Amino acid sequence: MDWDSIMKDLGLDDESVPSIKTIPPQENHIQNLPEFTSCELTHPTEFNNLYDFYPSHNIDISNTTTYGFNNMGNFNSGFDFIEELVRAADCFDTQELQLAQVILARLGQRLRSPSGKPLQRAAFYFKEALLSLLTGGLTRTTRLSSWNDIVQTIKAYKAFSGINPIPMFSHFTTNQALMEAVLDGSSPLIHIIDFDIGFGGQYASLMREMFERHDHSRKFIRVTAVVPEEYAIETRLIKDNLVQFASELKLRFQIEFVLLRTFEMLSFKSFKFIDGEKTAILLSPLIFRSLGLNLTAFLNDLRRVNPTIVVFVDNEVWMESGTTSFRKNFVNGLEFYAMMFESLDAAVVGNGEWVRKIETLLLRPRILAA
């Protein structure tokens, strides 16, 4: 498909209309999610088909507000706290961490909660992120602790995917690269090593596309996902649903998980390889932050595996590669997320509850990790 056709199918072809487009519902969802017996749910039936990530939404953008943010000295009235926040970020460049603590403590009196205008909410989360760097509280604040947390996060992701085209487009382009490089060939053995599997919904659409091509019976797909230690609940959910979905499509599919700590010790020796299989490796910025690894050593080990394809998916387009300025990336990130929060307000008019859930369950952990 050419670019115009892709944009037309995604409903993004009309550049003359300055509106947020919805993504139409997709057929590539996983059905019959197993019951979450350990979580306290009022209406369990609401959680059917949790991997149908692209619902349609009624979108109204008639009430929007634009902030002058490109010029750091030109804020709207009432947003002067941004200058203090950027001063705190400066302290990380100059290693004046005690001064950063003083500034953030003062900001804590003004930014008490994630409420108000989009820029205020973004500033609150970025203030939290700076505090997490000073206190080392990042892992504790981003961990999901129960089935209910995970189910609510998946539902928030579904809502976000109906508003924002980035998740669907990332899955679409990644799956197309995999289909062309490893799935369309003659080799029956396919091994995908995924360093950022999320909730695994992208593999439902990949298996659906394989099924529709009528050549799936000759393929055996193995997925090995690198996950952090606290990801145990999610791995159960991912494995149960993907294995069940593959069984319904009569696909030969297997998924295994390697703990992040194990990969740190053994590198690519922690994976099982089979002679004759085609290997694909999926990367994102998350793995480099999580491991804190030596990039040269990582790439040398990766090269020895001799994969058929390496796909690097980068949704953090606000990060400037090569920059050594903490402040510069901090300001870019604050602007990016303020605009994203504003787009949520515009797209989900009248349903502030889901805006808050998207921000707290999806975007806040991304801000903390970044």
Side-chain angles (χ1 to χ4, degrees), residues 53 125 142 144 149-164 167 199 337 340-341 344 354-369:
F53 280 148
Y125 289 123
T142 58
L144 298 178
D149 289 341
I150 294 168
V151 169
Q152 290 300 317
T153 302
I154 295 176
K155 291 185 72 178
Y157 187 73
K158 287 173 59 180
F160 181 65
S161 297
I163 297 167
N164 191 305
F199 289 104
Y337 280 99
M340 186 169 287
F341 285 13
L344 293 177
W354 273 109
V355 171
R356 299 295 88 78
K357 286 185 177 181
I358 291 171
E359 289 179 1
T360 57
L361 295 174
L362 295 182
L363 302 184
R364 173 177 175 264
R366 296 184 190 183
I367 291 170
L368 285 168

Side-chain angles (χ1 to χ4, degrees), residues 306-323:
N306 193 26
T308 303
I309 185 173
V310 177
V311 182
F312 183 85
V313 182
D314 184 9
N315 293 331
E316 301 174 4
V317 293
W318 51 271
M319 293 284 286
E320 292 192 23
S321 61
T323 181

Side-chain angles (χ1 to χ4, degrees), residues 231-289:
Y231 217 65
I233 300 177
E234 289 91 330
T235 58
R236 275 185 55 196
L237 176 69
I238 295 168
K239 184 171 185 176
D240 288 350
N241 281 276
L242 290 181
V243 169
Q244 179 178 332
F245 189 62
S247 177
E248 292 172 0
L249 295 179
K250 294 181 172 56
L251 293 174
R252 294 190 296 166
F253 176 83
Q254 182 185 74
I255 183 167
E256 297 177 334
F257 300 92
V258 170
L259 294 180
L260 187 61
R261 187 179 302 166
T262 302
F263 181 80
E264 287 180 304
M265 293 187 295
L266 301 177
S267 187
F268 286 87
K269 293 179 181 178
S270 55
F271 305 133
K272 299 176 183 176
F273 294 98
I274 299 175
D275 290 341
E277 69 181 6
K278 285 193 172 183
T279 304
I281 296 177
L282 306 185
L283 301 174
S284 77
L286 177 65
I287 185 59
F288 300 109
R289 284 199 302 267

Side-chain angles (χ1 to χ4, degrees), residues 41 48 63 92 97-98 113 131 194 201 220 231 237 239 241 258 285 315 328 337 351 362:
L41 302 179
N48 290 334
N63 181 22
F92 285 83
L97 300 186
Q98 288 186 332
S113 64
L131 283 171
D194 196 333
F220 175 50
Y231 217 65
L237 176 69
K239 184 171 185 176
N241 281 276
V258 170
N315 293 331
K328 191 174 183 64
Y337 280 99
N351 195 347
L362 295 182

Side-chain angles (χ1 to χ4, degrees), residues 105-133:
R106 188 164 59 230
L107 277 172
Q109 301 302 311
R110 302 189 61 184
L111 299 171
R112 294 177 180 271
S113 64
S115 59
K117 299 291 185 181
L119 185 55
Q120 290 172 284
R121 304 199 304 269
F124 171 83
Y125 289 123
F126 273 81
K127 178 208 71 176
E128 268 201 335
L130 290 182
L131 283 171
S132 76
L133 288 180

Side-chain angles (χ1 to χ4, degrees), residues 293-310:
L293 45 72
N294 181 303
L295 182 59
T296 301
F298 176 83
L299 293 177
N300 284 337
D301 289 344
L302 186 153
R303 189 176 290 112
R304 292 188 188 98
V305 173
N306 193 26
T308 303
I309 185 173
V310 177

